[in-house]
């Protein structure tokens, strides 16, 4: 079975031009067909502050009202997505920037049934992903670059967690490819002490994750990241890693296992 790498890159990397350039250098060295999924929450938060739009978060997830959705679409699907595509073309790596609405690739449903109203936040399922067009792009050696925007097939755009998009894409494509899913951000991996890069956890099981979550070692935005990563492992994804963006082509990082 053909190998496929799905890489998710975090907002603190895409917001820093030099860090993003270094990541792109490493990303383009990967030989196998690959997909890039990006966030951009820091840029969205900065623009919200400049526009006096309140920022609302719950357990590392953004609550998205109408104005916040406008910002998310502009930042994620616009500025960041096209910046990344332009940098990939420079190498050259033929890339296509996409939201979930494009080609109806990632339909979603507006989140409901929760105690907190998350607003225009989309939830997605692997069996709803339109893998046909993704495979066509990969067959043509085009790199799909997905922003964290989906749609409800009724004309409404939705903000969707980029970690979740990467995980669900991996599960949806696992029937056709041997998948390696890697989450890249500004830390060397999952840490016992978030201020100490030397406290890297090289291997993490789901039980150990639960322990560290319960005692507060793992908190905030790292919780949904690991939740989605372990969900992918439970759905038969071959390998899942958490790494620093500069270590993409190395073995340095946290490997997850059930």
């Amino acid at each position: 079975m053909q190998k496929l790498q799905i890489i998710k890159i975090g907002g603190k990397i895409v917001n820093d031009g030099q860090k993003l350039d270094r990541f792109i250098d490493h990303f383009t060295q990967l030989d196998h067909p690959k997909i890039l999924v990006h966030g951009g929450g820091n840029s969205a938060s900065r623009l919200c502050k400049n526009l006096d739009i309140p920022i609302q978060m719950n357990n590392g997830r953004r609550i998205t009202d109408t104005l916040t959705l406008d910002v998310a679409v502009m930042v994620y699907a616009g500025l960041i997505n096209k910046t990344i595509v332009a940098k990939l073309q420079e190498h050259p790596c033929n890339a296509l920037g996409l939201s979930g609405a494009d080609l109806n690739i990632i339909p979603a449903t507006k989140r409901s049934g929760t105690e907190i109203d998350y607003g225009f936040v989309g939830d997605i399922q692997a069996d709803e992903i339109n893998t046909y067009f993704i495979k066509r792009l990969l067959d043509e050696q085009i790199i799909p670059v997905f922003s964290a925007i989906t749609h409800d097939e009724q004309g409404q755009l939705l903000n969707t967690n980029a970690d979740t998009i990467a995980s669900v894409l991996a599960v949806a494509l696992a029937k056709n490819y041997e998948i390696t899913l890697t989450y890249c951000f500004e830390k060397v991996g999952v840490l016992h002490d978030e201020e100490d890069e030397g406290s890297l956890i090289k291997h993490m099981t789901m039980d150990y994750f639960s322990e560290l979550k319960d005692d507060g070692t793992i908190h905030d935005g790292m919780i949904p990241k690991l939740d989605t990563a372990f969900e992918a492992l439970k759905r038969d994804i071959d390998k899942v890693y958490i790494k620093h963006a500069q270590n993409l082509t190395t073995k340095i990082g946290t490997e997850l296992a059930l």
Side-chain angles (χ1 to χ4, degrees):
M1 186 177 290
Q2 189 176 22
K3 295 182 178 180
L4 172 66
Q5 298 215 41
I6 299 178
I7 315 296
K8 188 269 176 174
I9 184 69
K12 290 185 179 178
I13 303 299
V14 299
N15 294 333
D16 184 310
Q18 291 184 338
K19 291 180 180 178
L20 179 58
D21 285 341
R22 288 196 293 271
F23 166 76
I24 294 294
D25 285 340
H26 293 294
F27 179 80
T28 56
Q29 293 175 31
L30 299 175
D31 293 330
H32 304 301
K34 45 193 176 283
I35 294 172
L36 182 58
V37 181
H38 66 83
N42 292 61
S43 290
S45 295
R46 186 167 59 248
L47 183 53
C48 281
K49 289 179 181 178
N50 291 341
L51 296 173
D52 292 325
I53 297 172
I55 299 169
Q56 304 174 75
M57 305 290 291
N58 181 61
N59 291 327
R61 296 189 183 274
R62 188 179 300 273
I63 296 171
T64 306
D65 60 15
T66 302
L67 291 176
T68 304
L69 178 65
D70 288 347
V71 170
V73 173
M74 287 188 289
V75 172
Y76 301 162
L79 178 62
I80 292 176
N81 188 263
K82 299 314 171 190
T83 297
I84 291 173
V85 169
K87 289 181 179 294
L88 285 170
Q89 305 290 18
E90 177 187 10
H91 272 267
C93 284
N94 206 12
L96 179 65
L98 297 163
S99 73
D102 296 305
L103 299 173
N104 193 32
I105 288 180
I106 311 178
T109 55
K110 187 173 180 288
R111 183 170 299 170
S112 61
T114 57
E115 294 182 4
I116 294 173
D117 181 3
Y118 283 90
F120 293 99
V121 168
D123 289 324
I124 52 179
Q125 301 295 327
D127 58 3
E128 297 173 349
I129 301 295
N130 190 341
T131 58
Y132 171 79
F133 285 112
I134 299 175
K135 289 185 288 184
R136 287 289 302 273
L137 293 172
L138 293 172
D139 288 344
E140 295 297 328
Q141 299 184 336
I142 294 170
I143 300 170
V145 180
F146 284 100
S147 63
I149 299 297
T150 58
H151 75 130
D152 69 354
E153 297 184 284
Q154 303 297 317
Q156 178 63 58
L157 294 172
L158 297 167
N159 183 17
T160 299
N161 181 272
D163 293 331
T164 302
I165 289 177
S167 174
V168 174
L169 283 173
V171 172
L173 290 161
K175 296 177 182 178
N176 306 101
Y177 300 92
E178 180 183 332
I179 306 283
T180 297
L181 173 61
T182 305
Y183 294 91
C184 289
F185 68 146
E186 72 281 0
K187 300 289 186 179
V188 71
V190 184
L191 306 174
H192 281 290
D193 178 356
E194 61 183 333
E195 302 301 325
D196 179 9
E197 293 281 315
S199 65
L200 173 67
I201 302 170
K202 294 182 179 179
H203 301 279
M204 174 176 282
T205 64
M206 196 156 56
D207 288 341
Y208 192 35
F209 168 48
S210 296
E211 291 177 21
L212 295 179
K213 186 166 51 172
D214 289 343
D215 68 19
T217 299
I218 294 176
H219 54 88
D220 296 334
M222 184 58 73
I223 292 175
K225 184 183 299 294
L226 287 168
D227 280 339
T228 58
F230 278 111
E231 185 61 33
L233 276 177
K234 288 189 288 185
R235 300 286 296 275
D236 296 326
I237 299 307
D238 298 281
K239 298 176 182 178
V240 180
Y241 299 95
I242 312 287
K243 292 183 177 183
H244 194 291
Q246 310 312 318
N247 292 330
L248 178 59
T249 58
T250 76
K251 294 183 179 180
I252 301 170
T254 301
E255 182 175 3
L256 305 185
L258 296 177

